[in-house]
Amino acid sequence: VLSKQKGKYLRYRVAAEKDFLNSDFNAEGEVSTMLNLFGKQVSAKANAYIKNISPNFFQNNFSSKYCNWSDMGLDDTRRVYIGGEIVLPEFSFSSTKISGGVENIQNYIYYGANRIIAQHSGSVQVVALRLDQNFKAGIFHWDNQLVFQKTSKDEVIPLPTISAYSNIYLQTKIAKVLTVQLGGDVHYHSKYYMPGYEPLTMQFYNQKEMELGNFPIVTAYANLHLKYTRFFIMYYNALNGMGNAESFSLFRYPVNPSILKMGISWQFNN
């Protein structure tokens, strides 16, 4: 490992490791700096890695009552990634971070529609771009995350094109000791062929039977914090049954219906 973690205008870290008993190796690095943009300081970072990952024993060999395979002869997986991050000047009412990257994956190992392990002999490219945008005005807060991602082969690595998270809430203190947070959040992703789960192999597998998504999971909540005691109440999946009603976490695995949850926790130390 070679690194420089002090300094305003140049910081870097380079690390490499090699498994001498196998073909596995990993090399990664990042460099960050501060830029001046219209009189404001902007943080910029670039990072990259290259990895060679050999298949483990249970990927090449598996035996059970219903699923069996052996000596699959899987090749090493090679992953090459390059990306970056920009943190724009933070204001009293707003903070912004933009990040993204592209990865090339060769000989990707996955589980196909037949729920048996498979390997794509070529390369798959994955591109992702993420925006973190937070707003604040007094006790009002609005935190947002928006991700765009694209894969060159959906049948190998299925991904939703758009994923989003938004959390809007009011946060204040009562009598300077009781912290109160009231709000709601929403998780959303566009339709895609969501992976299924196979209990026999305890692995996720790709499927082409049904596209799922385009349904927001909305939760309303209240959090209270007094010294060593925390209390919360939340109403999960408030929109259950509305719209297309396709609130699934996985293929054939629907999320929980609307439910009211409450909880309390405290510490017993002074």
Side-chain angles (χ1 to χ4, degrees):
V1 177
L2 179 64
S3 66
K4 179 179 182 291
Q5 300 301 323
K6 293 183 178 181
K8 182 178 180 180
Y9 294 103
L10 179 63
R11 296 186 182 188
Y12 58 83
R13 182 181 186 275
V14 180
E17 57 183 349
K18 177 70 176 71
D19 184 350
F20 288 102
L21 299 180
N22 294 289
S23 57
D24 297 69
F25 70 83
N26 176 36
E28 58 185 19
E30 66 176 36
V31 58
S32 60
T33 186
M34 298 294 292
L35 305 174
N36 191 291
L37 181 64
F38 305 115
K40 299 288 187 177
Q41 293 293 315
V42 176
S43 171
K45 179 190 294 184
N47 58 308
Y49 63 70
I50 179 171
K51 299 179 181 180
N52 195 84
I53 306 169
S54 62
N56 61 50
F57 176 83
F58 292 105
Q59 289 177 319
N60 271 312
N61 304 272
F62 185 84
S63 179
S64 70
K65 183 177 180 180
Y66 299 102
C67 295
N68 293 276
W69 64 81
S70 61
D71 299 326
M72 294 294 290
L74 301 173
D75 296 322
D76 293 357
T77 300
R78 177 72 59 86
R79 308 180 73 118
V80 180
Y81 171 85
I82 183 169
E85 173 185 296
I86 296 178
V87 180
L88 298 180
E90 186 170 339
F91 299 95
S92 60
F93 62 91
S94 172
S95 63
T96 305
K97 181 172 71 173
I98 303 172
S99 58
V102 58
E103 184 175 21
N104 182 80
I105 309 172
Q106 186 178 4
N107 298 330
Y108 181 73
I109 298 173
Y110 64 102
Y111 288 78
N114 59 359
R115 309 186 185 191
I116 302 298
I117 199 164
Q119 184 169 50
H120 179 66
S121 58
S123 296
V124 182
Q125 291 77 41
V126 178
V127 178
L129 184 64
R130 171 172 167 171
L131 171 66
D132 291 75
Q133 180 67 65
N134 300 334
F135 299 99
K136 179 182 177 182
I139 65 173
F140 174 80
H141 298 256
W142 188 17
D143 302 339
N144 301 277
Q145 295 176 359
L146 179 64
V147 177
F148 167 83
Q149 51 193 1
K150 193 68 177 176
T151 172
S152 61
K153 292 189 179 297
D154 289 323
E155 65 274 16
V156 177
I157 305 179
L159 293 172
T161 303
I162 299 294
S163 298
Y165 172 74
S166 185
N167 184 19
I168 186 169
Y169 57 96
L170 302 175
Q171 181 170 305
T172 187
K173 280 193 174 184
I174 298 177
K176 298 182 180 182
V177 292
L178 178 64
T179 301
V180 178
Q181 186 183 70
L182 303 172
D185 64 12
V186 55
H187 292 82
Y188 168 86
H189 64 76
S190 57
K191 278 193 171 186
Y192 77 112
Y193 288 104
M194 191 179 294
Y197 178 72
E198 176 51 65
L200 294 175
T201 59
M202 296 183 290
Q203 299 292 333
F204 299 100
Y205 67 92
N206 297 348
Q207 58 88 23
K208 281 290 186 179
E209 296 181 41
M210 183 181 294
E211 283 188 299
L212 295 167
N214 199 28
F215 183 88
I217 306 297
V218 178
T219 299
Y221 63 86
N223 296 319
L224 295 94
H225 180 203
L226 177 63
K227 293 185 177 180
Y228 298 107
T229 304
R230 297 177 183 269
F231 175 81
F232 81 89
I233 181 171
M234 63 182 293
Y235 186 60
Y236 174 75
N237 197 7
L239 301 184
N240 182 56
M242 301 182 183
N244 60 23
E246 293 180 352
S247 52
F248 285 79
S249 59
L250 289 171
F251 176 57
R252 293 179 177 171
Y253 282 79
V255 300
N256 290 328
S258 300
I259 185 172
L260 184 66
K261 298 182 179 181
M262 294 182 292
I264 186 171
S265 68
W266 65 91
Q267 298 177 358
F268 288 99
N269 59 314
N270 293 326

